Amino acid sequence: MNRTKATEDEAQLPLVGDRHVDPHSYPDGIAFLDGQYLPMSQAKVSVLDWGFLHSDATYDTVHVWDGRFFRLDLHLDRFFGGLDKLRMAIPFDRDGVAEILHNCVALSGHRAAYVEMLCTRGASPTFSRDPRQAINRFMAFAVQFGSVANAEQLRRGLHVAISDKVRIPPASIDPAIKNYHWLDLVRGLYDAYDRDAETALILDFNGNVAEGPGFNVFCVKDSRLSTPAIGVLPGITRRTVFDLCGEEGLTVEAIDVSVAALKAADEVFITSTAGGIMPVTRIDGAAIADGKVGPVTSRLMALYWRKHDHPAWSSPVKYP
């Protein structure tokens, strides 16, 4: 082979495929995007989408339990509030989004599901850096229900570590807009794993307790409940605790919660759509009180799940 021929062979470029072959596995479920219902393995987002490139997106998650959505109206309120604050628009009203979510669940067949609605800034056809040129993109999906805490952790309580990482301050990102800015939370998780804990709490900009990856936190002291007030997502399950306390005559307030106050509590629990009300029995390796799930936590956990078939709090999925 002469040198010219060898140089030509070495410079040959790889072929451009006409489709992507995805080698990864995905949970069983159904997604909606671009007017189509698809298996989760076919739900894709462009690498040019601002949601991927810049975390420019908002979302909300709601769960289905025993074939019923729990507090769907409140999740829709928060989702549309986030769209408005981020100057995003989707081609569906509340009823349209609710119908899509119902369809995703019904088509998946899941009786217990984790259901997400989301909107990314989308992409500009010209790769413009002007967000006004991007075409906003709505998506939704339903997969099998998952929890922050597994069955064993729910029984004996989670072991949590408090990281020194600081949550993004509300002056930068309105915490009422549910978003994917999770690097502070993920760094906190690794701090927790390094200390043999199961999940993490991180701090607010004043050094008080803020929240964890996907959950709010409550403490109980002398039968009074408190939860961090500043720089945290106003979670729907967090609100549900306030509602349950109102029904049960329990005192609850949103205030600054110091690390010392949390560790000195009689009981601690976390709240999330992904798991509900979940007990915490150890923080930074030390037991909370006697190290057992407390009576107020147990009472609220039972009330929370009892509400899931209440018609004022839930709505049925119409399965085929």
Side-chain angles (χ1 to χ4, degrees):
M1 183 181 294
N2 63 44
R3 178 155 183 81
T4 302
K5 176 62 174 172
T7 302
E8 289 175 354
D9 288 345
E10 290 169 0
Q12 188 175 10
L13 294 173
L15 296 175
V16 176
D18 60 356
R19 66 185 180 90
H20 172 242
V21 177
D22 191 340
H24 303 286
S25 298
Y26 299 91
D28 181 41
I30 296 294
F32 173 90
L33 66 160
D34 301 328
Q36 305 162 67
Y37 291 94
L38 302 163
M40 287 303 301
S41 61
Q42 298 301 308
K44 311 294 182 182
V45 63
S46 169
V47 295
L48 298 181
D49 193 300
W50 282 40
F52 172 71
L53 291 177
H54 305 305
S55 195
D56 190 349
T58 188
Y59 74 106
D60 215 290
T61 56
V62 58
H63 73 233
V64 168
W65 191 256
D66 198 20
R68 299 179 70 89
F69 277 98
F70 188 64
R71 313 207 82 173
L72 177 56
D73 285 347
L74 297 181
H75 289 279
L76 289 169
D77 287 344
R78 187 168 61 184
F79 178 62
F80 276 89
L83 291 176
D84 184 60
K85 291 176 181 178
L86 292 178
R87 304 191 189 191
M88 292 180 179
I90 62 174
F92 307 102
D93 59 13
R94 288 173 58 96
D95 290 342
V97 170
E99 181 181 3
I100 290 167
L101 299 181
H102 274 268
N103 289 342
C104 286
V105 177
L107 290 168
S108 76
H110 292 313
R111 303 286 301 182
Y114 178 94
V115 189
E116 186 160 325
M117 62 199 100
L118 64 124
C119 183
T120 69
R121 186 70 61 190
S124 160
T126 62
F127 198 49
S128 168
R129 290 184 174 272
D130 185 340
R132 296 170 299 180
Q133 303 301 315
I135 300 169
N136 301 164
R137 195 175 189 203
F138 172 78
M139 293 165 265
F141 63 83
V143 294
Q144 189 170 7
F145 179 79
S147 173
V148 173
N150 62 33
E152 168 65 14
Q153 292 163 348
L154 288 172
R155 184 192 64 77
R156 50 88 166 156
L158 282 156
H159 299 169
V160 175
I162 299 177
S163 168
D164 61 0
K165 302 303 181 289
V166 176
R167 192 69 172 116
I168 298 171
S172 299
I173 301 292
D174 181 351
I177 304 171
K178 200 166 171 68
N179 61 73
Y180 295 122
H181 299 288
W182 269 48
L183 289 183
D184 47 2
L185 295 167
V186 171
R187 292 180 71 206
L189 265 179
Y190 275 100
D191 287 343
Y193 297 153
D194 288 344
R195 290 150 61 185
D196 295 323
E198 295 159 342
T199 192
L201 286 164
I202 66 173
L203 306 176
D204 68 16
F205 53 90
N206 290 319
N208 295 309
V209 176
E211 59 188 344
F215 57 81
N216 297 113
V217 63
F218 285 78
C219 60
V220 183
K221 187 68 174 178
D222 299 326
S223 298
R224 299 173 65 91
L225 288 81
S226 58
T227 189
I230 297 174
V232 301
L233 175 76
I236 304 303
T237 313
R238 176 180 184 265
R239 172 172 170 171
T240 298
V241 169
F242 277 78
D243 293 338
L244 293 174
C245 286
E247 290 187 3
E248 294 296 305
L250 294 169
T251 299
V252 59
E253 58 184 342
I255 58 173
D256 287 342
V257 176
S258 69
V259 172
L262 191 73
K263 291 182 175 182
D266 299 327
E267 303 176 42
V268 176
F269 61 85
I270 63 172
T271 60
S272 173
T273 292
I277 297 170
M278 297 163 279
V280 172
T281 51
R282 297 186 74 84
I283 295 179
D284 289 341
I288 298 299
D290 63 1
K292 298 179 181 179
V293 179
V296 174
T297 302
S298 296
R299 177 180 170 190
L300 290 173
M301 288 172 70
L303 288 168
Y304 173 80
W305 289 108
R306 206 175 301 152
K307 287 291 187 181
H308 279 61
D309 60 3
H310 193 295
W313 294 57
S314 64
S315 53
V317 177
K318 297 176 182 177
Y319 293 91

